[in-house]
């Protein structure tokens, strides 16, 4: 690959911003799942009205959105649905995972997060926002350091020891204020492997609790994990129920895809005590 790229060939800051906004618009459609107006998008994503109008009209001209003149609304075209179909065979049965997430959302009222590893981070691939009276709003594409997030530690626990150790050491170098040791975090990962889940409060966001478990994807798929997140007080009296729901949903997903469950998949009897206090 030629790395001698001329400065004139590099994308401008405006081009990068526009690309980011286009992807955020598609993620917004994935969240709301209905036709929207220019004003809907501008308000939801805090974009200038003029820029939003220009982007939406450009996507219509490219065939990625359809425009209803009567209602002045926009909606993804079939071209969008066809773009990523090939990925499903390479990664995981995405329709089943989305069904699993919608079911957990309906049963818990919590924010449901699907994450995959991206370098030293867990990236939120898909988010279904919570519907409980008190909830935290998180955006798709959010990144959390693997070693210092609940869902990140689940992803770390799925990696070989030496690779996980290297990522832990990178995280500690980047965030020395966390004052944890490599051994302490490795011990936490061993605990997660044994239990089949991670449960922490205040690890990323003060006052928030997350319960996360891995989703088996087969030998060719990259590790992914799913988490249930909610305010600590809302979670506290429901964590046993939520753990059972998550464990059963993943077990059903595994069965539907002809995979073998792990020997330990969420030892929910261990959830009667307090949440983990993590290093």
């Amino acid at each position: 690959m030629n790395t001698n790229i001329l400065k004139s060939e590099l994308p401008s800051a405006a081009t990068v911003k526009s690309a980011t906004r286009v992807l955020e618009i598609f993620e917004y459609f994935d969240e709301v799942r209905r036709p929207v107006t220019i004003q809907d998008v501008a308000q939801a994503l805090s974009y200038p009205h003029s820029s939003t109008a220009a982007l939406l009209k450009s996507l219509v001209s490219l065939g990625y959105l359809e425009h209803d003149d009567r209602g002045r609304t926009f909606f993804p075209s079939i071209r969008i649905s066809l773009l990523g179909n090939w990925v499903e065979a390479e990664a995981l049965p995405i329709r089943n995972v989305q069904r699993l997430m919608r079911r957990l959302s309906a049963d818990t009222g919590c924010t449901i997060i699907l994450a995959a590893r991206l370098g030293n981070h867990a990236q939120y691939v898909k988010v279904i926002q919570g519907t409980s009276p008190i909830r935290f709003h998180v955006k798709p594409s959010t990144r959390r350091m693997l070693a210092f997030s609940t869902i990140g530690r689940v992803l770390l626990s799925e990696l070989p020891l030496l690779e996980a150790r290297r990522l832990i050491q990178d995280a500690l170098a980047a965030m020395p204020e966390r004052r944890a040791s490599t051994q302490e975090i490795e011990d936490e990962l061993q605990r997660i492997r044994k239990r089949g889940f991670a449960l922490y409060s205040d690890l990323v966001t003060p006052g928030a609790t997350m319960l996360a478990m891995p989703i088996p994807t087969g030998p060719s798929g990259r590790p992914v994990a799913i988490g249930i997140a909610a305010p600590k007080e809302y979670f506290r009296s429901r964590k046993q129920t939520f753990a059972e729901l998550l464990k059963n949903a993943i077990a059903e997903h595994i069965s539907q895809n002809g995979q073998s469950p792990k020997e330990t998949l969420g030892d929910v009897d261990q959830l009667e005590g307090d949440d983990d206090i993590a290093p």
Side-chain angles (χ1 to χ4, degrees):
M1 181 180 294
N2 183 11
T3 59
N4 296 321
I5 301 175
L6 298 175
K7 289 185 178 180
S8 61
E9 295 175 328
L10 294 173
S12 66
T15 301
V16 172
K17 180 183 287 188
S18 294
T20 299
R21 285 179 172 177
V22 166
L23 295 175
E24 289 179 342
I25 287 170
F26 288 150
E27 288 174 344
Y28 173 66
F29 274 115
D30 186 53
E31 181 180 337
V32 300
R33 300 188 174 209
R34 59 175 172 78
V36 299
T37 64
I38 294 172
Q39 187 64 20
D40 291 334
V41 177
Q43 287 183 343
L45 301 178
S46 300
Y47 295 167
H49 190 279
S50 59
S51 300
T52 305
L55 280 173
L56 292 175
K57 291 175 183 178
S58 294
L59 290 170
V60 170
S61 68
L62 291 169
Y64 292 110
L65 295 181
E66 296 176 353
H67 181 241
D68 180 357
D69 290 330
R70 183 176 300 177
R72 296 183 179 180
T73 58
F74 298 82
F75 194 73
S77 71
I78 194 171
R79 187 175 183 186
I80 288 293
S81 67
L82 296 174
L83 280 178
N85 279 350
W86 64 274
V87 178
E88 181 173 343
E90 301 295 327
L92 72 162
I94 201 68
R95 291 186 184 87
N96 288 344
V97 173
Q98 290 181 337
R99 191 179 302 118
L100 180 158
M101 294 179 71
R102 289 194 293 271
R103 171 178 160 188
L104 288 171
S105 173
D107 289 346
T108 67
C110 298
T111 298
I112 309 300
I113 298 169
L114 180 71
R117 179 191 159 203
L118 183 64
N120 206 0
H121 292 81
Q123 182 175 45
Y124 294 175
V125 177
K126 181 173 178 60
V127 177
I128 298 180
Q129 305 297 343
T131 58
S132 59
I134 302 174
R135 57 189 180 272
F136 293 105
H137 186 92
V138 293
K139 293 176 61 176
S141 299
T142 295
R143 296 183 189 183
R144 304 294 191 201
M145 190 73 77
L146 286 171
F148 300 124
S149 63
T150 304
I151 207 163
R153 289 188 175 182
V154 168
L155 293 170
L156 265 182
S157 72
E158 296 289 290
L159 296 176
L161 176 60
L162 291 180
E163 185 175 1
R165 179 175 296 162
R166 177 181 60 80
L167 292 169
I168 292 168
Q169 292 170 345
D170 289 346
L172 291 170
M175 301 179 69
E177 69 276 8
R178 298 304 294 250
R179 297 182 180 178
S181 70
T182 301
Q183 187 60 54
E184 285 174 325
I185 298 177
E186 285 186 5
D187 290 345
E188 287 292 311
L189 298 186
Q190 181 60 32
R191 188 181 183 200
I192 292 167
R193 291 186 193 100
K194 182 177 180 181
R195 301 168 82 185
F197 65 85
L199 173 68
Y200 296 105
S201 292
D202 307 313
L203 187 55
V204 174
T205 304
T209 294
M210 179 181 281
L211 170 73
M213 294 182 184
I215 300 181
T217 57
S220 61
R222 62 172 176 158
V224 294
I226 191 166
I228 300 176
K232 185 162 52 176
E233 293 304 315
Y234 182 81
F235 212 108
R236 178 168 290 140
S237 62
R238 299 173 175 87
K239 57 188 176 183
Q240 190 76 27
T241 300
F242 290 170
E244 292 283 0
L245 288 170
L246 183 54
K247 175 185 176 182
N248 293 337
I250 292 176
E252 182 177 322
H253 168 78
I254 292 171
S255 175
Q256 289 174 346
N257 291 289
Q259 296 169 285
S260 300
K262 291 187 172 184
E263 292 182 4
T264 55
L265 183 60
D267 186 359
V268 297
D269 292 337
Q270 299 185 46
L271 287 173
E272 295 297 345
D274 293 335
D275 302 344
D276 294 347
I277 301 174

